[in-house]
């Protein structure tokens, strides 16, 4: 099984730039990150340090988020955020440049929360427009934009796979074909989606898969979700990408489940 470690939720006991090497030491050759900078357009030195940490560790960056705002503060993306259009659009070129430098080709664009006082239809119109711009921005490097249903934030409007697929269909109508569903089995399950049905109907079109168990968003095996069955079936149906490990666990036992599974 090909896994990629999300170093924005795992190995967080370490400084960010030390996490790629820690993932490598744990036996992984692939990593992914949420947006690792405070600004949409960070200083060149910050980007160079990030890219250098990946290269020095000898790991492949397989996924990177666009800037999603203040995630600890409750933000969940800038894509549909009226008033931050320039910030998101400036971020597109930076993301594409990091992708070009690292070989990363999958970029998660969190959609953004509903805003008080704003028309949801206007937010959706902006969301589609920004997704199309992002898709065109990474197209030149063969990139794919990912759109993800998310749990835990009531104001985030994309709860189910179909919610995201409806937006993706609008981007296709606008002329781009490189926006894909990010199927995070934890988020979909917590939101009450029928994950087995989503796999059966859409696995070949998944842009990426991420996993965590429920309850608790812990490592596989700590909860009750049939993650192995969903992953295996997705593979059977044609999903060929890595499986993103995006769960919460202490560094000392973050990957103990995988060692036990292998044994």
């Amino acid at each position: 099984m090909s896994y990629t470690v999300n170093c924005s939720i795992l190995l967080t006991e370490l400084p960010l730039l030390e996490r790629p090497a820690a993932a490598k030491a744990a036996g992984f050759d692939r990593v992914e990150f949420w947006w690792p900078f405070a600004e949409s357009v960070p200083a060149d030195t910050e980007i160079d340090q990030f890219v250098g940490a990946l290269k020095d560790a000898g790991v492949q960056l397989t996924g990177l988020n666009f800037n999603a705002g203040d995630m600890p503060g409750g933000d969940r993306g800038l894509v549909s955020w009226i008033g931050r259009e320039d910030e998101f659009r400036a971020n597109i070129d930076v993301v594409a440049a990091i992708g070009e430098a690292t070989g990363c080709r999958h970029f998660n664009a969190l959609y953004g929360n509903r805003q008080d006082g704003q028309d949801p239809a206007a937010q959706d119109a902006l969301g589609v427009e920004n997704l199309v711009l992002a898709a065109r921005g990474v197209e030149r490097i063969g990139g794919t934009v990912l759109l993800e249903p998310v749990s835990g934030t009531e104001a985030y409007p994309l709860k189910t796979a179909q919610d995201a697929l409806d937006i993706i269909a609008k981007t296709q109508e606008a002329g781009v074909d490189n926006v894909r569903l990010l199927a995070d089995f934890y988020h979909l399950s917590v939101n009450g989606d029928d994950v087995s049905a989503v796999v059966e109907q859409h696995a070949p079109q998944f842009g990426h898969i991420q996993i965590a168990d429920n309850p608790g968003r812990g490592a596989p095996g700590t909860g009750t979700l049939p993650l192995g069955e969903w992953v295996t079936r997705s593979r059977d149906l044609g999903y060929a990408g890595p499986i993103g490990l995006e769960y919460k666990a202490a560094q000392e036992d973050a990957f103990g489940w995988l060692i036990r599974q292998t044994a």
Side-chain angles (χ1 to χ4, degrees):
M1 188 64 66
S2 176
Y3 295 108
T4 182
V5 178
N6 191 302
C7 292
S8 292
I9 194 170
L10 287 165
L11 307 173
T12 55
E13 297 89 341
L14 299 172
L16 186 140
L17 295 181
E18 294 181 16
R19 297 175 201 170
K24 181 71 170 183
F28 298 92
D29 295 321
R30 302 180 182 191
V31 298
E32 59 186 22
F33 279 84
W34 301 341
W35 186 242
F37 310 106
E39 306 292 337
S40 284
V41 184
D44 289 344
T45 54
E46 292 183 81
I47 296 173
D48 291 344
Q49 289 172 349
F50 177 67
V51 173
L54 297 167
K55 292 181 177 178
D56 290 346
V59 295
Q60 173 64 53
L61 183 67
T62 61
L64 180 68
N65 282 24
F66 289 85
N67 184 13
D70 179 10
M71 294 275 283
D75 294 348
R76 290 296 182 271
L78 306 183
V79 170
S80 64
W81 192 325
I82 295 173
R84 299 184 74 173
E85 298 92 333
D86 291 345
E87 189 177 350
F88 178 77
R89 292 170 187 181
N91 189 225
I92 295 171
D93 285 342
V94 182
V95 167
I98 293 173
E100 190 167 27
T102 61
C104 182
R105 296 294 182 263
H106 289 82
F107 309 100
N108 185 16
L110 288 176
Y111 193 68
N113 296 332
R114 290 302 193 210
Q115 299 169 257
D116 291 341
Q118 296 289 357
D119 180 2
Q123 283 198 258
D124 288 340
L126 176 63
V128 171
E129 183 179 348
N130 277 338
L131 286 169
V132 170
L133 289 172
R136 289 174 176 157
V138 302
E139 185 179 28
R140 65 177 179 82
I141 62 167
T144 297
V145 173
L146 304 172
L147 190 61
E148 179 183 19
V150 170
S151 65
T153 304
E154 183 59 34
Y156 191 87
L158 307 186
K159 300 289 198 300
T160 67
Q162 193 60 54
D163 291 337
L165 290 168
D166 288 345
I167 299 296
I168 291 170
K170 293 179 181 179
T171 68
Q172 292 170 340
E173 292 170 3
V176 299
D177 63 359
N178 59 326
V179 182
R180 296 284 184 271
L181 174 68
L182 195 166
D184 184 309
F185 292 159
Y186 168 79
H187 286 311
L188 294 176
S189 178
V190 168
N191 285 341
D193 215 346
D194 185 340
V195 179
S196 294
V198 172
V199 169
E200 290 297 324
Q201 295 166 17
H202 303 292
Q205 290 80 45
F206 287 168
H208 187 39
I209 291 173
Q210 290 175 332
I211 59 171
D213 217 332
N214 188 50
R217 202 178 183 179
T222 60
T224 61
L225 298 183
L227 296 170
E229 295 176 19
W230 291 337
V231 168
T232 298
R233 185 58 178 158
S234 297
R235 292 275 192 228
D236 291 343
L237 292 172
Y239 176 74
I243 306 301
L245 304 181
E246 197 185 53
Y247 54 83
K248 300 176 182 178
Q251 180 183 357
E252 59 266 24
D253 193 38
F255 309 112
W257 67 274
L258 185 56
I259 295 171
R260 291 189 293 271
Q261 181 186 78
T262 303

